[in-house]
Amino acid sequence: MSDSNLATNLKTSRDKYDAAVAKTLAKFPEQQKTFVSASGSPVERLYLPESDPRAAYTEQLGFPGQFPFTRGVQPTMYRGRFWTMRQYAGFATAEESNQRYKYLLGQGTTGLSVAFDLPTQIGYDSDDPESLGEVGKVGVAIDSLADMETLFDGIPLDKVSTSMTINSTAAILLAMYIVVGEKQGVTPEKLNGTIQNDILKEYIARGTYRFPPKPSLRLIADIFEYCTKEVPNWNTISISGYHIREAGSTAAQEIGFTLADAICYVETALKAGLKVDEFAPRLAFFFAAHSDLFEEVAKFRAARRLYARIMRERFNASDKSCMLRFHTQTGGVTLTAQQPDNNVVRVTIQALAAVLGGTQSLHTNSKDEALALPTEESVTVALRTQQIVAYESGVTNTIDPLAGSFFVEQLTDRLESEAKQYIEKIDAMGGMVAAIERGFVQKQIEESAYRFGQSIDSGERVIVGVNKFTSKKEPDIDLFEVPEATQKRQVDKLKSVKANRDANKVRAALSAVTEAARGDGNLMPPILDAVRAYCTVGEICRALEGVFGQYTESFN
Amino acid sequence: MPYHGDIPNLIAQTASRGPASVRAAARLMSIVTDHPERVATMLAGATRWPQPRLVLGITGAPGSGKSTLTDQMAASFRARHPDRLLGILAVDPSSPFTGGAVLGDRVRMMRHATDPKVFIRSLASRGHLGGLALGARGVVRIMGLLGCDVVIIETVGVGQSEVEIAQNADLTVVVLAPGQGDSVQMLKAGLMEAGDVFVVNKADRPDAATLQANLLNMLKMGWMARVDLYHEELTCHGPQMLVAGQSADGGKALSSIPDLPLDAAAPPPVFLTSATNAQGIEPLVDHVESRAARDADAWRARRDTQITREVRDAVLESARKRIAHLIGRNGTSQATLAPVLEGRISVDELTDQLIRRALSDIDTTHRIQPT
Amino acid sequence: MLDPTPKARVLIGKPGLDGHDRGAKYVAQVLRDAGFEVIYTGIRRSPEQIVEAAIQEDVAGIGLSLLSGAHNVLFKRVIDLLKERGASDIVVFGGGTIPPKDIPTLTAMGVKAVFTPGTPAKRIVETLDTLLAQPA
C-alpha cells in the first residue's frame, strides 16, 4: 500500500474512533479536562503515526552507538554491561566516609561518588567563620591532602572509578586525588573518574560558586588541558541538568540549558587552544530522572540526538565527540517527607526511566532524604532497587525498547525542538554567561517552579501522601545524624596538619598559585604543588580569590 | 509591628546615633511609608534636621544592571568617605492584584549589609496615589537625621511613580544596557527627561558603542529642543539671562521653568560602565561628586521648598485615607456607592456626606488603617 | 482599585552555605500573592547579615530556609543576635530539610513555626497571618 493510501485509511479509522470517543465522553467524561506531563506540557488522548517511521529512521534514530545516538551510545548497551551503580555518599569526617565507601563497595556498588560538605565545595576551611554549622553536614569535610589520604585509605585508586561532586574548587580536589594516587603508587594515566566541574549551573541553580564566570571558566579550561595530557581517562566535567531540574525547571529546560552550558564549555576550550576531538570525548553529562516515565525517557533520547547534532554542526566534531554519555540521579525534589516508604516506589519508576533512557550510571535516592542524610539501611534499599531493575525486570535485554512508540517518538521530537528554542534564545543573548548575568535562565526556572508549586497547592496535580491520600500519622522512621562533635574533630585535625607542615613551603606554594593566577599559564601544576605542601582548600582559594575576586548572585 | 511608637522619642533616638538609632530610624521609616498622613506630624521641626549632602537617584529598565551599579557606586562612596554613613533606598513595584511584593534588591547588595556605615531600606511601590513619593521622601529625611552623607534612591524606571521618585533626588542617573530591545522605547517614554546623567552599563557587550552613539544623539536633540523652548520662555518672561550655569545664583532661577534641569548648559553626559567588573565606576562617581560640590546650595534651597509640598501631600493623603476608609474596601464599598449609581444623589453630595461623617466620626481621626 | 495595603513585611533569608533556593523563592512568591511584602536576601547569608537586614527593614518576621542540616546552629545564632540587638519581637520561623525530632529543639529556642517539605502554601499563609497580625 502506498503512503497516501495508508494515510486515507488511517483518517477513516480515526474519524470512526473520534465518533466513538464523543459518545463515550457524553456518558463518561474523562477524569480531567486536559492532561499534562510533569513539565506541564499537554498530553493527547492517543498518538498515531505521523508519517512512516521507516522514512526518517536513519536520520532521526539511527543505530545504537552511531550518530545521532538517539537509541544509545554503545552498540550493545546493557547486554554487554549494566550501567555503573554509583551511590552518592559522604558525611562528617574522612574516617566515617571511608567506612561508608568500603561498605558500599562490599554491597556491590561499582563506582564511588563522593559528596563533599559545603565549606569544601565553596573553598572555606572547617575553622572559617563562614563554615559555622556546615562542617560535615551534606558531605565529607576535606581541608587538606591529609583528609583525602584518609578518605581513600585502603581503596586502590586504580581499581575504582570515583565521581566527585565538586565545582568551584574542582581543580584543588582533583589535584588531591592525583597526589593520593601518586602516594599509592598509581600513576595519573591509570586514574578513572569524573569531577563535576560545571560552574555555570552553580550560578544558575546550585549556588556553590566562589569566583566570577571568567576566571572560573579559565580554571575549567586549564583542567581540560592538563587532563588531556596527564590524566587521559578522567572525565573532566559532568555538565549537569540535574540541579537545574531540582530547582524547578521543566524537562525541556533541563536539556536546553544544560546543552547551552555545554556549548559554552566547548567554546571556552576551543578559545584556550584545544582541539575539539582532544577533549570532547571526555565531556560527560548528568541528568535527573523524575516520575513521568515517558517524558523522561524521551528527554534522554532527545538530549542525545540534539547534542550529537550540535557537536557536528557547530563544532565539526568527530562522531566519538558527539556521544552524550550521562549519569542519572532520581529526582530529589520528588521525595516526600510524608509517608517516606512511598519514596521507594517513586525511585523505582524513576530508575526505570533512566534505564529505558539509556543511562551510563545511576544513583537512586533513599526514601528518607527529604528528612535527612540517608541511613545505611535506606541506602541499601535504594541500591537494591537498581539491582532489581537490572537483574529481574528484563528491560535490559534489548536496546532502547520504547523506540517506535508513537507517543515516545513524538515526545522526543517535541522535547528536542523545545530545548533547541531555549538554546537559540541564549545564543541571541550572547551566550550562557550573558544569559546568566541577565538572570534569564534563573527567571525561567523560577517561573516553572512557581507554576509547579501552584499546581500542587491548588490540588490540580496530585502528590500521593501530600495533597491526597494523606495520613495523620507522623512518619516513624530512624534518621541519620551527623555526629555533634564533627566540626570540633575536624578543626582539631586541621590544626595538627597546620602545625606539622613546612611553613616555608606553604608560603612559597601559595604565592606561586597567586602568581600563576595573575598570568595565563596552566593553574594545575602550582595547585598540585600547593596540595603536596599540605596547603588547605581554604588557603588555595583565598590565594585565587585575591586575583579573581568573588561572584555575587543576581536576582530579577 | 508596633507602629504606635512615640514619634518624638523615636526621632530623639535616631538623632542620638547611639546603638538603638538604627532600629528607631527603621521604625520611623515604617511610619512614613505605611502612614504617610502622619508625615506632617513628624515633619514638625524637620527643617532643622541634618540633611544628606547628596541624594542620588538611579533608575533604569529591569535587567539594565541598576542594582549592581548601585552596589558598586555605594562601594565607591564608602571608600571615598570611610567615616560617613551611606543610605540606600531601593524601590520595587508591588503586585497590583494582591498588594504584596518580593523585594530583591538586597541580593546584590548584601556585602554592605554588615557594614555598620550602610543603611539599606527596601520599599514597595504599593500602588499608592502619591503616597509612595511621600513615603520615600520621608525615608530620605530620616536617613538624613540618622546622619547619612549620601543617599541613593534606586527605582525601576517603568512606571510614572517610579520615575517621580527618582526625580525627587538632587541628581538622577538613568541606566541603560545594550541588548535590551526596549531601551530606546524607555527613553521615549519619559526617562530621557528624568535623567541628569546617563550610563550605558554592560559596556563590555559588543553593541554598547551603538547604544552610546544613539543615546548621545537623542540627548543632544532633546537638549536642543529644550533650549529652544527655554528661549521661547525667555521672550515671554523677560530677558533675565541666557544660559544656565553662567548665572550668579547657580541656575536656581531656571528651575522655575518646568522640567528644565538645573544644569542646562550642555546635554547630560553619558558614562560607560561595566558594573559586574567594577569598571567605569570611578569617573561616574567623580562626576557626581563634582556636581554635588558645585550645586550643594541650590539643592538645599530646593529641598527647603519641597518640604512645604510634603506637608501639602501629607494633608491630601490624610484626607484621602479617611474618606477611603469610610467608603470601605472592595467588599463593602458597593453599599456606600450605590446611591450615586442609582441616581439618588450626586457625587458631590456623597462627597459632602462623607466629609461630614469624617469630621463627626472622632474614631476615624485616630484610626490609622482600615483593616 | 482601593488601597491594596500590604499585610506585613517579612524577610526570607537563607543562612549558611546551601544554595537550594527553590523553597525560599516559592514561599516568597506565595507570601507576595497573599499580600505580604517580602524582603528576599538571596543565598549564603550570614546570621549577622540577616539580622541587620531585618532590623533596617523593620520586618515583623524572619523566615529562614535551610536544607543542609545546619539549622540547629544557624537558627540559634539568628535568635541570639536578635536578642543582642533588642529585636526579639521579630518573629522567627523556618523551613527546609528538618528532621521531625529537631522541631521541639527549634521551638524551645524560640522558632515560632517550622514548615517541612510538602507543607501546603495555604497553611504557611494562615500561620503567618496569625503570627504576624498587626495591632488594629
Side-chain angles (χ1 to χ4, degrees):
Chain A
M1 211 184 302
S2 74
D3 267 8
S4 67
N5 270 346
L6 267 173
T8 322
N9 230 330
L10 191 61
K11 171 92 180 50
T12 321
S13 325
R14 171 85 207 219
D15 289 346
K16 247 197 226 161
Y17 167 74
D18 283 343
V21 166
K23 259 192 216 157
T24 310
L25 286 181
K27 273 191 243 157
F28 309 104
E30 290 176 338
Q31 295 189 54
Q32 297 163 41
K33 276 216 177 68
T34 51
F35 288 73
V36 296
S37 74
S39 294
S41 303
V43 179
E44 304 293 325
R45 180 176 298 115
L46 190 71
Y47 287 82
L48 297 175
E50 285 189 325
S51 58
D52 184 346
R54 283 171 304 186
Y57 183 82
T58 21
E59 192 192 315
Q60 288 290 88
L61 301 178
F63 286 83
Q66 289 174 26
F67 193 92
F69 305 103
T70 314
R71 305 201 62 181
V73 292
Q74 293 118 353
T76 60
M77 288 303 290
Y78 307 131
R79 289 164 68 103
R81 171 181 164 278
F82 292 133
W83 59 93
T84 305
M85 299 181 193
R86 205 190 276 285
Q87 294 297 102
Y88 185 45
F91 60 94
T93 67
E95 284 84 3
E96 281 111 329
S97 296
N98 176 262
Q99 289 306 310
R100 177 69 68 99
Y101 297 156
K102 285 177 176 162
Y103 170 82
L104 285 170
L105 289 169
Q107 293 298 309
T109 58
T110 46
L112 293 178
S113 175
V114 182
F116 296 102
D117 71 357
L118 289 163
T120 307
Q121 293 189 45
I122 301 170
Y124 296 119
D125 285 339
S126 299
D127 59 355
D128 194 299
E130 298 275 355
S131 306
L132 179 72
E134 302 280 13
V135 176
K137 280 280 158 49
V138 302
V140 58
I142 301 291
D143 287 316
S144 74
L145 179 62
D147 296 322
M148 204 71 161
E149 289 164 3
T150 310
L151 189 66
F152 293 103
D153 182 52
I155 301 172
L157 298 194
D158 52 347
K159 299 278 173 352
V160 291
S161 89
T162 304
S163 165
M164 295 194 270
T165 299
I166 197 79
N167 295 280
S168 54
T169 55
I172 304 167
L173 274 297
L174 172 62
M176 286 183 177
Y177 194 82
I178 293 171
V179 176
V180 170
E182 282 170 10
K183 296 203 165 191
Q184 287 187 1
V186 178
T187 50
E189 73 270 10
K190 288 203 192 109
L191 295 176
N192 263 293
T194 308
I195 42 174
Q196 200 162 71
N197 201 21
D198 171 9
I199 197 68
L200 293 173
K201 64 93 178 52
E202 297 295 330
Y203 303 126
I204 296 170
R206 190 167 171 272
T208 71
Y209 44 73
R210 177 76 177 250
F211 316 117
K214 220 173 138 190
S216 296
L217 288 171
R218 173 198 164 180
L219 271 167
I220 290 168
D222 285 356
I223 292 171
F224 284 4
E225 187 197 37
Y226 185 84
C227 290
T228 304
K229 290 184 199 134
E230 311 287 335
V231 204
N233 292 321
W234 198 265
N235 296 311
T236 48
I237 195 166
S238 171
I239 307 165
S240 306
Y242 179 81
H243 314 94
I244 290 172
R245 190 69 182 277
E246 282 285 289
S249 82
T250 63
Q253 287 170 340
E254 180 187 355
I255 51 177
F257 296 152
T258 306
L259 296 188
D261 283 347
I263 291 170
C264 177
Y265 293 127
V266 172
E267 285 170 349
T268 304
L270 293 175
K271 250 184 246 157
L274 301 178
K275 295 213 167 54
V276 70
D277 291 327
E278 277 171 12
F279 65 88
R282 302 315 311 169
L283 305 180
F285 287 81
F286 174 21
F287 292 112
H290 280 213
S291 300
D292 192 324
L293 184 72
F294 295 112
E295 182 171 71
E296 294 300 286
V297 173
K299 176 186 79 181
F300 298 124
R301 301 171 85 243
R304 267 196 302 267
R305 184 161 73 201
L306 183 53
Y307 181 67
R309 288 174 172 167
I310 289 170
M311 290 304 283
R312 180 183 275 185
E313 286 158 19
R314 287 196 192 211
F315 301 112
N316 199 19
S318 72
D319 283 4
K320 198 169 173 238
S321 299
C322 292
M323 264 196 266
L324 181 146
R325 298 167 301 127
F326 68 101
H327 170 71
T328 307
Q329 180 170 339
T330 57
V333 287
T334 67
L335 300 175
T336 64
Q338 300 82 352
Q339 308 179 26
D341 285 342
N342 298 348
N343 292 328
V344 176
V345 184
R346 293 190 177 99
V347 168
T348 307
I349 298 170
Q350 296 166 5
L352 193 60
V355 171
L356 291 171
T359 194
Q360 276 59 62
S361 73
L362 178 62
H363 165 104
T364 34
N365 288 326
S366 303
K367 63 175 186 176
D368 44 1
E369 287 186 79
L371 295 161
L373 284 192
T375 61
E376 210 157 86
E377 291 73 36
S378 68
V379 172
T380 310
V381 173
L383 176 61
R384 295 291 177 255
T385 307
Q386 293 198 37
Q387 291 161 338
I388 290 168
V389 172
Y391 292 93
E392 298 183 21
S393 75
V395 300
T396 56
N397 293 337
T398 186
I399 299 169
D400 189 25
L402 293 182
S405 146
F406 307 129
F407 179 37
V408 171
E409 292 302 352
Q410 284 173 45
L411 260 179
T412 306
D413 293 349
R414 200 190 65 211
L415 284 166
E416 183 189 9
S417 113
E418 278 178 36
K420 213 171 140 193
Q421 282 167 28
Y422 282 113
I423 295 171
E424 282 161 5
K425 259 188 209 156
I426 291 165
D427 282 342
M429 282 175 207
M432 197 43 149
V433 172
I436 290 170
E437 281 173 354
R438 254 168 94 156
F440 166 77
V441 186
Q442 299 91 312
K443 190 85 196 157
Q444 294 288 314
I445 296 170
E446 194 187 307
E447 282 169 6
S448 301
Y450 178 72
R451 276 194 298 272
F452 189 83
Q454 292 283 290
S455 72
I456 295 171
D457 276 319
S458 67
E460 219 173 288
R461 183 184 297 279
V462 172
I463 308 289
V464 174
V466 172
N467 63 358
K468 205 167 186 173
F469 316 112
T470 53
S471 110
K472 286 261 172 322
K473 222 178 86 204
E474 285 290 318
D476 179 23
I477 181 167
D478 288 331
L479 293 176
F480 178 81
E481 278 176 72
V482 175
E484 273 305 316
T486 299
Q487 177 152 15
K488 194 181 169 305
R489 272 198 290 136
Q490 185 63 22
V491 169
D492 287 347
K493 213 169 128 188
L494 176 59
K495 269 192 200 137
S496 95
V497 167
K498 281 187 176 172
N500 291 314
R501 61 187 187 177
D502 182 338
N504 286 329
K505 267 194 191 162
V506 169
R507 222 169 302 131
L510 290 175
S511 37
V513 169
T514 305
E515 226 21 70
R518 287 211 186 98
D520 56 5
N522 196 307
L523 276 162
M524 279 305 288
I527 289 175
L528 277 157
D529 286 341
V531 162
R532 285 189 191 103
Y534 290 87
C535 294
T536 64
V537 176
E539 289 166 341
I540 299 171
C541 277
R542 234 169 264 282
L544 292 170
E545 190 181 66
V547 181
F548 293 162
Q550 244 188 14
Y551 177 77
T552 12
E553 185 181 359
S554 70
F555 182 84
N556 283 339
Chain B
M1 222 177 322
Y3 282 120
H4 302 286
D6 167 8
I7 292 182
N9 186 29
L10 289 173
I11 290 176
Q13 275 187 38
T14 304
S16 77
R17 305 191 184 166
S21 62
V22 172
R23 189 126 213 254
R27 286 279 158 95
L28 281 175
M29 289 175 188
S30 297
I31 295 173
V32 295
T33 56
D34 294 3
H35 310 296
E37 71 282 1
R38 293 176 73 177
V39 166
T41 328
M42 209 188 71
L43 288 179
T47 42
R48 292 188 301 276
W49 288 8
Q51 289 185 27
R53 182 171 58 86
L54 161 67
V55 180
L56 181 70
I58 299 183
T59 191
S64 58
K66 266 181 321 343
S67 309
T68 313
L69 186 74
T70 305
D71 173 74
Q72 294 286 2
M73 289 185 81
S76 173
F77 283 120
R78 286 289 298 119
R80 286 161 192 246
H81 314 289
D83 304 327
R84 300 192 199 160
L85 234 56
L86 172 82
I88 300 174
L89 170 60
V91 187
D92 278 321
S94 300
S95 154
F97 304 109
T98 67
V102 177
L103 309 172
D105 287 293
R106 273 186 174 267
V107 172
R108 287 180 207 245
M109 297 185 215
M110 273 322 262
R111 64 172 163 152
H112 300 299
T114 40
D115 179 346
K117 299 273 182 202
V118 178
F119 190 111
I120 305 174
R121 181 73 170 204
S122 314
L123 189 57
S125 63
R126 296 187 182 176
H128 276 194
L129 308 160
L132 169 64
L134 191 55
R137 283 203 294 269
V139 170
V140 172
R141 289 204 182 276
I142 296 161
M143 285 183 170
L145 181 64
L146 188 66
C148 288
D149 171 53
V150 173
V151 171
I152 302 177
I153 307 176
E154 186 211 318
T155 73
V156 184
V158 282
Q160 191 52 42
S161 58
E162 283 89 348
V163 172
E164 271 171 34
I165 303 258
Q167 283 181 299
N168 276 312
D170 299 324
L171 200 65
T172 302
V173 177
V174 172
V175 191
L176 302 165
Q180 291 176 303
D182 50 356
S183 274
V184 174
Q185 268 75 5
M186 298 226 350
L187 283 178
K188 285 181 187 156
L191 264 183
M192 192 164 76
E193 288 75 18
D196 301 304
V197 176
F198 286 78
V199 169
V200 172
N201 192 28
K202 307 191 179 181
D204 47 331
R205 298 277 169 77
D207 38 354
T210 321
L211 176 61
Q212 188 195 20
N214 289 344
L215 183 58
L216 280 169
N217 212 7
M218 283 182 79
L219 289 172
K220 200 171 151 199
M221 288 188 336
W223 172 73
M224 290 194 316
R226 266 180 297 167
V227 170
D228 287 348
L229 184 72
Y230 172 67
H231 282 292
E232 273 170 42
E233 292 274 337
L234 274 188
T235 41
C236 299
H237 295 98
Q240 285 168 353
M241 49 182 199
L242 280 171
V243 182
Q246 291 175 356
S247 65
D249 66 349
K252 197 160 63 178
L254 266 180
S255 63
S256 63
I257 298 171
D259 291 328
L260 196 64
L262 279 170
D263 186 358
V270 177
F271 287 85
L272 284 169
T273 62
S274 174
T276 45
N277 306 319
Q279 279 164 9
I281 307 298
E282 291 312 312
L284 173 62
V285 178
D286 284 344
H287 176 80
V288 168
E289 287 280 18
S290 74
R291 298 275 287 261
R294 198 189 66 191
D295 297 332
D297 291 341
W299 289 346
R300 188 165 278 271
R302 190 167 62 183
R303 290 188 213 148
D304 285 345
T305 6
Q306 268 174 357
I307 200 162
T308 322
R309 210 168 69 210
E310 279 168 54
V311 174
R312 174 182 164 272
D313 288 353
V315 171
L316 286 175
E317 180 66 12
S318 172
R320 193 186 70 81
K321 270 213 161 182
R322 286 201 233 169
I323 305 285
H325 170 60
L326 288 174
I327 295 175
R329 302 192 94 179
N330 287 341
T332 55
S333 59
Q334 262 172 356
T336 323
L337 303 175
V340 174
L341 290 173
E342 290 157 7
R344 283 189 279 129
I345 56 170
S346 71
V347 169
D348 276 345
E349 281 166 330
L350 177 62
T351 311
D352 287 347
Q353 280 179 21
L354 289 170
I355 291 174
R356 272 195 297 277
R357 258 178 67 199
L359 286 173
S360 65
D361 194 348
I362 305 276
D363 234 20
T364 56
T365 316
H366 298 291
R367 185 76 176 261
I368 300 310
Q369 196 173 334
T371 42
Chain C
M1 180 183 60
L2 294 170
D3 273 351
T5 311
K7 280 180 185 162
R9 284 161 72 87
V10 177
L11 181 142
I12 298 291
K14 280 194 60 64
L17 299 177
D18 99 78
H20 299 97
D21 55 7
R22 178 180 185 165
K25 281 183 172 166
Y26 186 63
V27 169
Q29 288 168 313
V30 162
L31 293 179
R32 172 201 64 199
D33 293 350
F36 289 88
E37 274 182 19
V38 182
I39 320 290
Y40 179 67
T41 68
I43 63 168
R44 282 166 60 178
R45 303 309 175 196
S46 68
E48 287 78 6
Q49 286 175 324
I50 287 172
V51 167
E52 190 59 49
I55 289 175
Q56 291 182 0
E57 300 286 2
D58 194 30
V59 294
I62 299 178
L64 301 171
S65 161
L66 201 57
L67 279 79
S68 69
H71 46 270
N72 287 340
V73 177
L74 292 172
F75 284 22
K76 176 146 196 321
R77 180 93 187 111
V78 168
I79 285 175
D80 289 348
L81 285 168
L82 283 172
K83 252 181 228 152
E84 266 173 41
R85 301 289 304 269
S88 295
D89 54 301
I90 300 179
V91 170
V92 176
F93 59 97
T97 313
I98 294 170
K101 84 165 221 337
D102 285 356
I103 294 177
T105 321
L106 295 174
T107 313
M109 69 174 74
V111 179
K112 292 286 187 293
V114 177
F115 306 110
T116 47
T119 309
K122 215 173 114 217
R123 203 163 89 224
I124 298 179
V125 171
E126 284 166 1
T127 310
L128 293 189
D129 275 341
T130 317
L131 281 174
L132 307 179
Q134 292 181 33

